[in-house]
């Protein structure tokens, strides 16, 4: 699909790739003793070196059982802490830069050294990526898709950890944002982005849709055209894993054009392709 992208979508794709590049660079620099706060500062510096001056939200980093949001009850618990990384410990890096007026929101899961459990969670997320796309193309309501994803997680033996996010969202809309010289933040979120979400919420309320993809009645409507940052988040015994990337939804009658992932060259997708190739090679041996 990438070859046929419009200039607008290529802009979103570029900032999404920029965000993943920042995550991969910082992930490679993590060492035992690195704190979540140090990781988020590194993410901001890495993005700043690439020209990022504004954010949909400032970077997050979660280490150890915080990747599964263990014990999270308050919004403040999402913010980076002095938790230190240890060998074998899972981590999640989450950043949402704005660059050139385009927005992305990504999640990168990894571990400091081998972590077979998180590897398994990441492998099982592949089914969610395929499943969500299929359901969106069928024009099932966002609330129904959320419930279906919940059931899939249950069949896999996992807990739904995106339910711990504010409003329990699995996704939210992203849009163009005007670049400004001074871009303040409130509770880690850019004021321009919050204003855009508020405008979407107001217009959506009038038209019967919500910019937040949640398990509640406000999401009981078919997928609304636009760009959605989707983040299914699995948890199991104190270990969490997720991906987050942009899903494009259109009003096309062609199922393949009605919804598609913006980019199939992201780290987790490449990982799945490599694993599938290895499996095929072993099967043919």
């Amino acid at each position: 699909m990438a070859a046929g992208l419009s200039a607008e979508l290529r802009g979103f794709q570029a900032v999404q790739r920029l965000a993943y590049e920042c995550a991969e660079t910082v992930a490679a620099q993590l060492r035992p003793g690195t704190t979540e706060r140090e990781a988020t500062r590194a993410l901001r510096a890495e993005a700043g070196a690439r020209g990022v001056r504004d954010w949909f939200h400032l970077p997050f980093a979660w280490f150890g059982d915080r990747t599964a949001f263990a014990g999270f009850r308050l919004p403040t618990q999402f913010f980076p802490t002095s938790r230190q990384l240890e060998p074998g410990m899972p981590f999640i890096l989450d950043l949402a830069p704005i660059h050139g007026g385009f927005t992305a929101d990504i999640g990168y899961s990894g571990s400091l050294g081998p972590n077979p459990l998180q590897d398994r969670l990441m492998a099982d997320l592949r089914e969610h990526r395929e499943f969500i796309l299929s359901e969106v193309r069928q024009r099932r309501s966002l609330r129904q898709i959320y419930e279906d994803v919940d059931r899939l997680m249950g069949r896999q033996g996992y807990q739904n950890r995106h339910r711990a996010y504010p409003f329990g969202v699995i996704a939210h809309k992203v849009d163009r944002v005007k670049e400004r010289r001074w871009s303040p933040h409130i509770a880690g979120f850019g004021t321009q982005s919050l204003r855009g979400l508020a405008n979407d919420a107001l217009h959506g309320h009038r038209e019967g849709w919500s910019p937040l993809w949640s398990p509640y009645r406000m999401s009981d409507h078919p997928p609304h055209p636009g760009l959605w940052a989707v983040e299914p988040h699995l948890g199991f015994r104190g270990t969490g894993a997720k991906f987050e990337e942009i899903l494009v939804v259109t009003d096309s009658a062609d199922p393949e054009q009605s919804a598609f992932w913006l980019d199939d060259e992201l780290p987790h997708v490449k990982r799945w392709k490599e694993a599938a190739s290895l499996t095929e090679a072993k099967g043919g041996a």
Side-chain angles (χ1 to χ4, degrees):
M1 188 68 208
L5 292 181
S6 66
E8 176 97 349
L9 289 182
R10 286 197 300 273
F12 283 100
Q13 184 188 70
V15 72
Q16 181 170 256
R17 289 186 177 182
L18 179 154
Y20 267 107
E21 288 168 5
C22 291
E24 286 190 298
T25 298
V26 171
Q29 298 170 353
L30 296 176
R31 299 291 183 268
T34 301
T35 68
E36 291 178 345
R37 291 192 183 101
E38 289 171 339
T40 58
R41 284 198 293 270
L43 287 168
R44 290 187 70 172
E46 197 64 40
R50 288 169 163 80
V52 172
R53 298 292 178 266
D54 194 8
W55 298 85
F56 178 83
H57 67 69
L58 297 175
F60 293 101
W62 302 297
F63 294 170
D65 62 0
R66 284 172 53 77
T67 60
F69 298 159
F72 280 29
R73 297 288 182 272
L74 301 171
T76 54
Q77 291 176 287
F78 288 93
F79 291 104
T81 69
S82 58
R83 170 70 66 87
Q84 294 185 349
L85 200 57
E86 300 173 8
M89 185 178 276
F91 61 80
I92 295 176
L93 306 177
D94 187 309
L95 63 155
I98 296 169
H99 189 251
F102 297 96
T103 312
D105 195 350
I106 71 103
Y108 180 90
S109 298
S111 59
L112 190 65
N115 188 306
L117 176 54
Q118 196 192 48
D119 288 345
R120 193 182 85 192
L121 267 65
M122 280 305 300
D124 287 340
L125 275 168
R126 179 178 185 176
E127 186 174 356
H128 288 273
R129 189 177 191 265
E130 296 168 351
F131 182 70
I132 289 169
L133 178 60
S134 174
E135 295 248 304
V136 170
R137 286 176 169 174
Q138 293 173 48
R139 296 302 196 213
R140 290 175 61 78
S141 83
L142 296 184
R143 188 181 187 184
Q144 288 174 322
I145 298 172
Y146 192 109
E147 292 169 350
D148 291 343
V149 168
D150 228 1
R151 282 188 283 269
L152 173 56
M153 290 182 178
R155 289 195 299 273
Q156 292 176 322
Y158 301 131
Q159 292 179 314
N160 171 346
R161 298 317 300 143
H162 51 262
R163 190 177 286 272
Y165 287 104
F167 305 105
V169 298
I170 190 175
H172 60 83
K173 282 198 74 194
V174 294
D175 295 295
R176 291 288 300 268
V177 176
K178 284 187 178 180
E179 289 191 289
R180 298 183 186 276
R181 182 172 298 179
W182 185 64
S183 302
H185 304 93
I186 299 175
F189 284 80
T191 54
Q192 291 191 88
S193 300
L194 289 175
R195 189 179 300 115
L197 270 181
N199 288 337
D200 273 349
L202 179 61
H203 295 150
H205 180 72
R206 292 171 178 167
E207 300 168 6
W209 61 274
S210 170
L212 302 178
W213 184 339
S214 79
Y216 304 115
R217 189 170 62 182
M218 64 181 182
S219 295
D220 207 1
H221 59 80
H224 191 268
L227 277 64
W228 295 81
V230 183
E231 53 182 329
H233 191 153
L234 305 180
F236 184 78
R237 295 181 181 176
T239 295
K242 72 166 184 172
F243 67 80
E244 185 172 12
E245 59 173 302
I246 293 174
L247 177 70
V248 182
V249 178
T250 76
D251 54 9
S252 173
D254 180 349
E256 290 193 3
Q257 298 295 321
S258 67
F260 53 90
W261 294 105
L262 181 60
D263 197 347
D264 283 329
E265 296 300 320
L266 301 179
H268 51 282
V269 182
K270 290 180 178 178
R271 196 184 314 176
W272 294 330
K273 290 177 180 177
E274 290 168 3
S277 297
L278 285 173
T279 300
E280 290 177 7
K282 288 179 180 178

